[in-house]
Amino acid sequence: MRGHPRCLTAALLATAALLSGCAGPQGSGSDAELRVSTTTAVLADLVSRVGGDRVDVTSIVPRNGDPHSYEPSPGDATGVTRADLVFSNGLLLEEPGIMKMVHSNAGESVPKIELGERLEEYGGTVIELEEDLGLDVLWLGWAVEGEVAGAGSQVRTTATELEGPGELRVYLTDTLGRPQVYVDSSDGFTEADSFTLPPEAHTHVNWAFSEPGTYRLTVEGRTEALDGHREEIGSGTFTFTVGDAAEAPAGTEVLDAGHADVALDAETGEVYVRADDESGETRRIAAEDVVLDVPDRARESVPEEKPYAFLGAPGDEVWVLPQAVIGKHVHGDLDPHTWEDVANAEAYVRRIEAELIRADPEGRTVYEKNAAAYLRTLGALDQEVARTLAAVPVENRELVTTHDAFGYLAKAYGMEVVGFVVPVPNREPSAAEVEKLGDTIRDKRVPSVFLEPNLAARADVLRRVAEDQKVGVCTLYGDSFDDKIHDYVSMMRHNARELAECLGGRTR
């Protein structure tokens, strides 16, 4: 259990603000000296606490929105165009389209600050992102490594050739259960058979093969700058064995489980598979030295829903490596959900204070006063969260959630994330997957599982298994607010109390 030593006097001074769930003046915008755009409502709240009446703050992603998948509107672009300052989280939290919109519409001289990228300089901590959904087949994503020149530049990967007995479709299932097709070999490959990622990013996709056998997929990559400049960077060919009868070429390494990515290095042009081994280490395997296995246990039936007609007729067999995590979940190696540790929110506030002063020196006194008051509030909140979660019995401090957003909360306050589950829409989980989830809940003796309000409607499997295991279903806030929770302090207080109550502790 972590505890931050704080001055008792400071904690007492913060009591009134903390009890109200509000920590400072909100920017009204009427006499604002700065127009500030943020990517998320959480960041907008933190900026408004420091900026007070001198800032007019708007959030690109609305309440109840998901920064991993939100698609910005023309109105969002207009707001960014008018901004004097733009704050994002960084660490690849935001959907790439959001950041592309920011870099395309904000003025060239407008500061664009990614708050999470230099968190440690302001007293925060950053941890690695851990993903392990326990799938019984290979979890195969797509990744880009290496730096790319130019703010907002992307790397485009295009499928150019497929050899094999059937067709390949690579697609993503969005947060409403709709497929977005990236690659479809059935009508020949064109420029449309591609997608973009920012540098050092990873995304999840579904890989669907129509027939068993051996396939060889060739891809090529290029960089794309905002000014339209393009540069070819490399190509390579990957081998897939589909169905149990397909045999891997001699001398190759077969990957049939765990987490791996088809990857491209934007600096060197290398094409390879990036795989996580059992020790948690990541290694590169040259494309020609590895085979990606899609066994018969990955065989599914094409759904009846019309949007999935591109896979074939309803009921047709198709071999699928599932994306596992719903929606456009593009991220890097570091966990971006840093604010779930209140000490990191304090680091955000220090950085926000420094950047507002840099943009508006005349407001220094206001920003310093507001930041100092809010830091006292956050110090008291940190102690409250730690004290509340200390009441949870040690044997119950294990979390099963819908989304991998609570690693910082767990590490900071003596908890452990033992599983997160977001099902693939329009696909019934296998009996083995449901059984494994139930076993985890039962073996760990988890009293409750936790859904996020903006993801709750898409967590039917977790809810159903929880009901079968006769455990509670409770609520945690990760990336977003809603109509009940409007600010950061209220969010973290709710999370602490909900965890304590649902895991057998007592709130105070």
Side-chain angles (χ1 to χ4, degrees):
M1 176 62 63
R2 192 274 315 265
H4 297 301
R6 310 289 188 194
C7 171
L8 179 59
T9 301
L12 292 173
L13 288 173
T15 301
L18 190 59
L19 289 173
S20 69
C22 178
Q26 294 287 335
S28 66
S30 57
D31 298 313
E33 296 295 328
L34 290 177
R35 288 170 294 192
V36 179
S37 181
T38 70
T39 53
T40 72
V42 173
L43 296 183
D45 181 54
L46 299 182
V47 172
S48 72
R49 305 292 165 173
V50 179
D53 291 335
R54 290 188 72 88
V55 300
D56 179 11
V57 188
T58 59
S59 173
I60 295 169
V61 181
R63 290 177 182 171
N64 286 311
D66 180 2
H68 298 295
S69 61
Y70 179 75
E71 296 183 5
S73 68
D76 295 324
T78 300
V80 169
T81 301
R82 297 170 178 167
D84 300 306
L85 201 61
V86 180
F87 287 107
S88 63
N89 187 80
L91 301 177
L92 294 173
L93 171 80
E94 292 88 355
E95 201 279 324
I98 296 174
M99 300 313 300
K100 184 176 181 179
M101 182 273 289
V102 166
H103 287 288
S104 297
N105 290 277
E108 196 169 314
S109 62
V110 171
K112 306 166 189 69
I113 296 103
E114 296 184 345
L115 290 167
E117 299 291 345
R118 293 170 50 196
L119 199 64
E120 293 174 337
E121 294 180 30
Y122 293 85
T125 58
V126 180
I127 63 177
E128 292 188 354
L129 184 66
E130 297 184 11
E131 297 183 298
D132 181 10
L133 295 189
L135 296 180
D136 61 355
V137 295
L138 181 65
W139 179 11
L140 185 65
W142 213 303
V144 172
E145 296 189 312
E147 295 296 328
V148 178
S153 294
Q154 303 273 304
V155 177
R156 181 173 296 278
T157 305
T158 304
T160 59
E161 185 179 355
L162 180 72
E163 300 175 9
E167 307 298 345
L168 166 66
R169 284 91 173 186
V170 181
Y171 64 99
L172 180 145
T173 306
D174 72 13
T175 53
L176 296 177
R178 300 170 302 201
Q180 178 180 346
V181 182
Y182 290 138
V183 174
D184 187 342
S185 68
S186 63
D187 54 359
F189 288 137
T190 68
E191 177 73 11
D193 292 290
S194 66
F195 58 91
T196 59
L197 285 174
E200 300 294 345
H202 154 99
T203 192
H204 310 143
V205 289
N206 303 279
W207 303 75
F209 299 85
S210 64
E211 300 289 342
T214 299
Y215 294 75
R216 288 173 58 81
L217 173 67
T218 300
V219 301
E220 62 182 26
R222 70 166 184 251
T223 60
E224 296 183 349
L226 291 177
D227 62 6
H229 178 72
R230 300 181 177 187
E231 184 175 343
E232 304 297 326
I233 55 176
S235 64
T237 301
F238 298 92
T239 300
F240 295 81
T241 50
V242 179
D244 293 346
E247 296 185 3
T252 56
E253 179 178 352
V254 177
L255 295 181
D256 60 1
H259 190 186
D261 295 306
V262 168
L264 171 69
D265 191 309
E267 292 184 60
T268 67
E270 296 176 85
V271 177
Y272 50 93
V273 170
R274 184 178 71 176
D276 298 338
D277 61 25
E278 294 181 356
S279 67
E281 296 295 322
T282 300
R283 58 197 179 98
R284 289 185 176 190
I285 312 171
E288 62 270 19
D289 295 332
V290 65
V291 169
L292 303 163
D293 187 48
V294 189
D296 279 337
R297 64 178 179 273
R299 186 165 48 197
E300 304 281 351
S301 296
V302 174
E304 295 183 0
E305 289 81 2
K306 188 175 180 180
Y308 286 82
F310 69 95
L311 291 174
D316 283 356
E317 289 186 338
V318 61
W319 283 254
V320 181
L321 296 180
Q323 75 187 57
V325 176
I326 191 171
K328 294 181 180 179
H329 201 71
V330 176
H331 58 75
D333 294 329
L334 299 177
D335 188 340
H337 306 91
T338 54
W339 59 87
E340 289 289 337
D341 177 354
V342 178
N344 278 341
E346 295 178 62
Y348 276 54
V349 167
R350 297 185 191 102
R351 177 80 185 277
I352 290 167
E353 176 191 4
E355 297 297 344
L356 292 180
I357 291 173
R358 187 173 290 113
D360 175 27
E362 293 183 0
R364 173 185 290 271
T365 301
V366 172
Y367 301 140
E368 289 179 342
K369 179 181 178 181
N370 288 346
Y374 194 44
L375 286 171
R376 290 194 294 270
T377 296
L378 292 179
L381 174 66
D382 193 20
Q383 290 188 350
E384 180 186 346
V385 172
R387 186 171 60 250
T388 301
L389 293 180
V392 177
V394 173
E395 65 273 15
N396 288 355
R397 294 180 186 174
E398 296 175 316
L399 307 181
V400 176
T401 69
T402 54
H403 174 213
D404 53 336
F406 301 99
Y408 287 94
L409 185 151
K411 184 174 182 179
Y413 304 107
M415 314 292 285
E416 180 185 1
V417 178
V418 296
F420 59 88
V421 181
V422 184
V424 179
N426 291 313
R427 169 183 172 271
E428 282 297 315
S430 68
E433 289 170 333
V434 174
E435 182 179 2
K436 185 169 185 177
L437 179 58
D439 289 345
T440 298
I441 294 172
R442 183 174 58 255
D443 294 345
K444 296 289 186 179
R445 297 183 179 180
V446 176
S448 299
V449 300
F450 296 88
L451 311 182
E452 294 173 66
N454 65 323
L455 299 178
R458 301 185 291 274
D460 291 341
V461 173
L462 181 57
R463 188 187 299 275
R464 188 165 66 246
V465 174
E467 291 173 354
D468 290 343
Q469 296 297 324
K470 295 180 173 56
V471 301
V473 178
C474 299
T475 300
L476 288 182
Y477 290 84
D479 299 323
S480 303
F481 300 145
D482 63 5
D483 294 336
K484 296 180 180 179
I485 298 294
H486 302 160
D487 62 88
Y488 176 76
V489 171
S490 298
M491 178 183 82
M492 292 306 298
R493 180 184 290 111
H494 166 90
N495 284 355
R497 290 181 173 177
E498 189 83 344
L499 286 166
E501 292 175 1
C502 295
L503 296 179
R506 294 175 298 166
T507 58
R508 301 181 183 182

